[in-house]
Amino acid sequence: MLELVMAGGWPMIPLLVLSALALAIIVERAWALRRATVLPPGLGKEVRTWAAGGKLAAGHIDSLRATSPLGELLAAALDVRHRPRDQVRERIEDVGRHLVHRMERFLNTLGTIAAAGPLLGLFGTVVGMIQMFFGILDTGIGDVNLLAGGIGKALVSTAAGLVVAIPALMAHRWFRGRIAEYIVDMESEAIQLLDAIELPPASAEVAPGAHGISPPVSAS
């Protein structure tokens, strides 16, 4: 493997840098976009139950906002729960756009790596072929086996560019699809919360939440 890297020459250096950067982005996004982190299970139902009670304090909403992206979206809806429904929907859409931008962090860079990898590989191949033909001008064709070996070394950069680009492209598409799935689920939870807000306040007391959020305190 080391011999192949050395055979590619100096154009292999940016390809190695891009491969390390792509790997770091993939690991970071895979960790940040875990479903349990973005959409904690049961959080939407828990918030709807509290919202139906009509006793949500500001501190409770702040603690909800800090739990997850879904919690931040639902908290934004609760901040303006006393306004008309269309204004609440506008707030949800505005916060949702910010959340999508945050979840897509580094994905543009990953897409750029996927696009630039083959081009850098092709550039390395062209550089290698130019060097080889300059050598032929100086020494003649000589041994055909030596010429074939030079062409093979020049193609190493192209292969390396594809090795970098293919996983980066697959990860980029997968993360985009995962975020789109999260958006659909978050929109569904927000719509259900809007319906719960419009229901008459429930009289039953709510048990402490399972997501580290303090339930609203009943007025004495």
Side-chain angles (χ1 to χ4, degrees):
M1 181 62 68
L2 181 60
E3 292 179 356
L4 289 176
V5 173
M6 295 179 63
W10 66 264
M12 292 291 292
I13 296 176
L15 286 172
L16 292 176
V17 173
L18 289 182
S19 65
L21 181 59
L23 179 60
I25 293 174
I26 291 172
V27 172
E28 190 275 337
R29 286 293 86 190
W31 179 260
L33 295 177
R34 291 171 298 157
R35 188 174 186 85
T37 301
V38 180
L39 289 90
L43 178 61
K45 182 178 180 180
E46 187 176 321
V47 174
R48 289 194 299 273
T49 302
W50 292 340
K55 299 181 184 295
L56 291 172
H60 169 251
I61 296 176
D62 289 338
S63 63
L64 171 63
R65 184 176 288 107
T67 59
S68 62
L70 175 60
E72 185 173 349
L73 184 67
L74 299 181
L78 293 175
D79 284 337
V80 293
R81 61 188 181 278
H82 300 302
R83 298 181 184 179
R85 185 183 178 94
D86 58 341
Q87 295 185 17
V88 178
R89 289 181 64 90
E90 289 178 2
R91 174 63 65 87
I92 291 174
E93 292 174 358
D94 183 59
V95 174
R97 285 192 293 269
H98 287 82
L99 292 176
V100 170
H101 179 73
R102 190 184 308 167
M103 287 189 290
E104 290 182 345
R105 183 185 181 191
F106 301 133
L107 290 190
N108 284 337
T109 302
L110 190 61
T112 301
I113 292 174
L119 296 178
L120 284 174
L122 180 61
F123 173 73
T125 299
V126 172
V127 170
M129 296 292 287
I130 292 174
Q131 293 175 345
M132 183 185 66
F133 280 113
F134 274 124
I136 292 176
L137 289 176
D138 293 337
T139 61
I141 295 179
D143 190 357
V144 177
N145 292 329
L146 182 61
L147 179 62
I151 295 175
K153 289 181 179 180
L155 293 176
V156 169
S157 294
T158 298
L162 294 175
V163 169
V164 172
I166 292 174
L169 178 60
M170 293 176 63
H172 179 266
R173 294 291 179 87
W174 186 79
F175 285 134
R176 282 290 176 88
R178 193 168 184 84
I179 292 173
E181 178 184 345
Y182 287 160
I183 293 171
V184 173
D185 292 341
M186 292 170 70
E187 288 178 349
S188 176
E189 293 287 352
I191 291 173
Q192 294 180 57
L193 178 61
L194 285 180
D195 295 335
I197 291 175
E198 294 178 350
L199 292 176
S203 58
E205 294 184 357
V206 181
H211 295 276
I213 308 171
S214 301
V217 179
S218 300
S220 57

